[in-house]
Amino acid sequence: MLQGVVVNLTITEVGLRDGIQSEAHFVPTADKIRLIDALFAAGVRSIEATSFVSPHAVPQMADAEDVVRGVHKPIGTRLCALAPNSRGVHAAIRAGVDDIVVFLSASESHNRKNLNRSIDASLAAIEETVALAVSAGVGVKGAIAVAFGCPFEGDVESSSVVRIARAFTDAGVSRITLGDTTGMASPEVVKRVCGELKDALPNVEPALHFHNTRGMALLNVAAGLGLGINTYESALGGTGGCPFAPGATGNVCTEDLVNFLHESGHETGINLEALIDASVDLERVLGRTLPGQVMRAGPRSRLHPLDSVRTATAKVTI
Amino acid sequence: MLQGVVVNLTITEVGLRDGIQSEAHFVPTADKIRLIDALFAAGVRSIEATSFVSPHAVPQMADAEDVVRGVHKPIGTRLCALAPNSRGVHAAIRAGVDDIVVFLSASESHNRKNLNRSIDASLAAIEETVALAVSAGVGVKGAIAVAFGCPFEGDVESSSVVRIARAFTDAGVSRITLGDTTGMASPEVVKRVCGELKDALPNVEPALHFHNTRGMALLNVAAGLGLGINTYESALGGTGGCPFAPGATGNVCTEDLVNFLHESGHETGINLEALIDASVDLERVLGRTLPGQVMRAGPRSRLHPLDSVRTATAKVTI
């Protein structure tokens, strides 16, 4: 982390989990560990590293325990992992995570599709897993998927988000994350949902997790900043995706987000150039062009010599 | 245009000019005309259709006259074209454009690279071309490139933007456009440059032309909206590019912009679904994946049947 700078925002990197979970080719464990170590070295202090789920459901996460055991976690950082059930929680705790992430959806139809049960049944199961984690001294983050819109139902009632957030808080969850799973948020929707959550539960400051499916992820972050929300989840290179929009980008891109935040006078404690290096490494590992922009263009301070472009190329550009 | 709706924003579509000018393969004239006609039919009222430049400098624009003569321009719309010199202005007027676009750069080094002369020499030449157009009853837009940052020099003094805008206005230019040629703008820079322009020339309301090179184009539009600026230039599909960032996206994408504006309660008079159809057509014509997001995901109101995705695909998505 940079010395003498007041970091006022927290970025949780989710690329190694949400970003790559649907990649067709298995990313070697050593690559995952190297990327996580590079992110920590770049100044990222919070990383969602993997999921303790059935390898049949998500083959990419089959090496969850090896990843968690393999990384070199600097002092003052936090490593978390998804754990959908008590078996996952036990495994995550054994491997040594700081926090587990439990999750469900704000709409009944998405929750049934994702978890094959009702919201109430998910909440009951989560109570048990949270108790397990808390008794082991492990923190719990509670993520609410499709909080800003559901691809099956459309608008999601804020009351559903509030009800789940309250149940999470009552169960002992230490941090609520609102997930924009299929990129349906807009600044107006962010203001509505976060506003109603704040009215109902003034002590809950959510983390926001946006997908850039409709190109609005950074606008939604800006809306969150306007509401005083200081924690955002993003993925290196803009990895991830949306099953309903083949070819659309995935999670909001970490380096694009950090560049925007720094250009807007915020401090993240993250070294942007080191982050770009990690993103270029990830692109090489995945073997395909990632949606990240700043990894290609660099920050605006990266100037070019006059002879770096042929006159014909620059001609009549506005 | 939709009936009974108050349109409060103007979008100038520049995809057929700035968007495709560097495409390696010549886009057939009939395709260009069909796309422009589709844009007008979708409710776009202002289109920058082509450039009257040397076909050696920009081969893609060699059919400028045929394009302008070939489109079916609805009443109340405006068609404009770039014209870098008096020969271009004569040709554009003959072809029947409503407005010509003259341009230079806010930094000396970019102006020399782009136009091979100093800013003062460009201004002197522009005076002449503006007089030509005005005497023919044709409107003139004056575009200022690299207004928010120069890839060679970095920050650009607002005083340079103000000086050029004043010279444009004195010469008879009816509309100033500020171009973010290589995507160096951020909301803070937009506020600074547009604020100083407004202080110096309160009657000039600029149009803003952003590139999404660093993923911030829509944030910059939002900053412009916050300043009360109501005219934006964008390109279908997010076509265009930046010679310094191979692979980075180009102009801000029209359908992504319109979707954001509509989701934010603004009215553009544009039918988003028809715009998406045009973007899909352009993608087919260019034969490569365009950076546009909404052309893939659709507006958030486009819901999906529950059986449209396999359970395994949706699993553990947040």
Side-chain angles (χ1 to χ4, degrees):
Chain A
M1 198 186 310
L2 304 173
Q3 296 297 315
V5 162
V6 178
V7 173
N8 68 344
L9 296 176
T10 298
I11 308 292
T12 294
E13 168 63 40
V14 300
L16 278 298
R17 203 280 303 165
D18 201 11
I20 69 166
Q21 68 179 6
S22 299
E23 287 291 323
H25 298 287
F26 186 76
V27 175
T29 307
D31 288 338
K32 290 171 181 157
I33 291 170
R34 183 184 67 254
L35 285 159
I36 293 171
D37 285 347
L39 286 160
F40 278 134
V44 177
R45 290 163 302 151
S46 170
I47 297 182
E48 188 170 296
T50 186
S51 298
F52 285 86
V53 291
S54 156
H56 301 295
V58 190
Q60 188 63 259
M61 300 291 129
D63 58 359
E65 185 173 340
D66 292 338
V67 169
V68 172
R69 289 191 190 278
V71 300
H72 305 83
K73 210 175 76 65
I75 289 167
T77 60
R78 293 193 82 87
L79 196 83
C80 71
L82 243 72
N85 52 38
S86 55
R87 199 170 63 178
V89 174
H90 279 299
I93 294 169
R94 255 199 328 270
V97 301
D98 299 302
D99 305 280
I100 62 157
V101 181
V102 298
F103 59 96
L104 47 54
S105 306
S107 80
E108 285 291 349
S109 54
H110 193 271
N111 202 64
R112 282 193 185 277
K113 202 76 187 171
N114 206 20
L115 296 169
N116 204 27
R117 57 174 84 145
S118 70
I119 291 175
D120 280 337
S122 286
L123 282 173
I126 281 171
E127 251 184 76
E128 196 185 319
T129 54
V130 173
L132 255 177
V134 170
S135 70
V138 166
V140 183
K141 300 178 178 186
I144 305 175
V146 301
F148 302 102
C150 166
F152 309 120
E153 299 180 22
D155 282 338
V156 167
E157 293 290 334
S158 301
S159 59
S160 175
V161 174
V162 169
R163 179 172 83 94
I164 295 166
R166 180 172 281 131
F168 273 171
T169 307
D170 290 347
V173 164
S174 46
R175 163 73 77 174
I176 307 287
T177 299
L178 304 184
D180 183 28
T181 313
T182 64
M184 291 176 70
S186 69
E188 294 304 309
V189 176
V190 171
K191 284 180 219 165
R192 175 173 60 78
V193 173
C194 295
E196 293 189 30
L197 180 63
K198 195 179 178 72
D199 288 346
L201 297 167
N203 294 325
V204 168
E205 199 220 87
L208 301 183
H209 172 117
F210 293 117
H211 283 236
N212 198 36
T213 321
R214 291 172 175 85
M216 285 203 274
L218 290 182
L219 286 161
N220 295 328
V221 170
L225 292 171
L227 298 167
I229 295 171
N230 292 325
T231 308
Y232 298 90
E233 298 188 353
S234 60
L236 197 64
T239 44
C242 169
F244 305 105
T249 56
N251 293 267
V252 61
C253 171
T254 304
E255 60 274 22
D256 292 4
L257 170 62
V258 166
N259 179 60
F260 157 56
L261 293 172
H262 290 184
E263 291 291 328
S264 302
H266 293 284
E267 286 296 345
T268 63
I270 297 171
N271 179 321
L272 180 56
E273 292 285 359
L275 202 59
I276 290 172
D277 290 345
S279 192
V280 169
D281 186 15
L282 177 59
E283 187 167 79
R284 190 189 55 74
V285 165
L286 297 182
R288 62 182 179 85
T289 302
L290 299 183
Q293 294 298 304
V294 173
M295 65 184 290
R296 267 163 262 290
R300 84 192 287 277
S301 58
R302 187 186 289 178
L303 301 186
H304 300 265
L306 260 172
D307 59 3
S308 63
V309 61
R310 287 179 304 115
T311 302
T313 315
K315 256 201 158 46
V316 293
T317 53
I318 294 176
Chain B
M1 199 185 309
L2 302 174
Q3 296 297 314
V5 163
V6 178
V7 174
N8 67 343
L9 296 177
T10 298
I11 308 294
T12 294
E13 168 63 39
V14 301
L16 278 300
R17 203 281 302 167
D18 201 11
I20 69 167
Q21 69 179 6
S22 298
E23 286 291 324
H25 297 288
F26 185 77
V27 176
T29 308
D31 288 338
K32 289 172 180 156
I33 292 170
R34 184 183 66 254
L35 285 159
I36 293 172
D37 285 347
L39 286 160
F40 278 135
V44 177
R45 290 162 301 150
S46 171
I47 297 181
E48 188 170 295
T50 185
S51 298
F52 286 86
V53 290
S54 154
H56 302 294
V58 191
Q60 188 63 257
M61 300 289 129
D63 58 358
E65 185 175 339
D66 292 338
V67 168
V68 172
R69 288 191 191 278
V71 300
H72 304 84
K73 209 176 76 66
I75 290 169
T77 60
R78 293 192 82 86
L79 196 82
C80 71
L82 243 71
N85 52 38
S86 54
R87 197 169 64 179
V89 174
H90 279 300
I93 293 169
R94 256 200 325 273
V97 301
D98 299 302
D99 305 279
I100 61 157
V101 182
V102 299
F103 59 97
L104 47 55
S105 306
S107 80
E108 284 292 347
S109 54
H110 193 271
N111 202 64
R112 283 195 184 275
K113 201 74 187 171
N114 206 20
L115 296 168
N116 206 26
R117 57 175 84 148
S118 70
I119 291 175
D120 281 336
S122 285
L123 282 173
I126 281 171
E127 250 184 77
E128 194 186 319
T129 54
V130 173
L132 256 176
V134 170
S135 70
V138 166
V140 183
K141 300 178 178 187
I144 306 175
V146 301
F148 303 102
C150 166
F152 309 120
E153 300 181 22
D155 282 339
V156 168
E157 293 290 336
S158 301
S159 58
S160 176
V161 174
V162 169
R163 180 172 83 93
I164 297 167
R166 181 172 283 130
F168 273 171
T169 308
D170 291 347
V173 163
S174 46
R175 162 74 78 175
I176 309 285
T177 299
L178 303 184
D180 182 28
T181 313
T182 64
M184 291 176 70
S186 69
E188 294 305 309
V189 176
V190 171
K191 284 180 219 166
R192 174 173 60 77
V193 174
C194 296
E196 292 188 29
L197 180 63
K198 196 180 179 70
D199 288 346
L201 298 167
N203 294 325
V204 168
E205 200 220 86
L208 302 182
H209 172 117
F210 293 118
H211 283 237
N212 198 37
T213 321
R214 290 172 176 85
M216 284 202 275
L218 289 182
L219 286 161
N220 295 329
V221 170
L225 292 170
L227 298 167
I229 295 171
N230 293 326
T231 308
Y232 298 89
E233 298 188 353
S234 60
L236 198 63
T239 44
C242 169
F244 306 105
T249 56
N251 293 269
V252 61
C253 171
T254 304
E255 61 273 21
D256 293 4
L257 171 62
V258 167
N259 179 61
F260 157 56
L261 293 171
H262 290 184
E263 291 292 329
S264 302
H266 293 285
E267 285 297 343
T268 62
I270 297 171
N271 179 323
L272 180 57
E273 292 284 1
L275 202 59
I276 290 171
D277 290 345
S279 192
V280 169
D281 186 13
L282 177 60
E283 185 167 82
R284 191 190 54 75
V285 166
L286 298 182
R288 62 182 179 86
T289 303
L290 299 183
Q293 293 299 302
V294 173
M295 66 184 290
R296 267 162 262 290
R300 82 193 289 277
S301 57
R302 189 185 290 177
L303 300 186
H304 300 264
L306 260 172
D307 59 3
S308 63
V309 60
R310 288 178 306 116
T311 302
T313 314
K315 255 199 159 47
V316 293
T317 54
I318 295 177

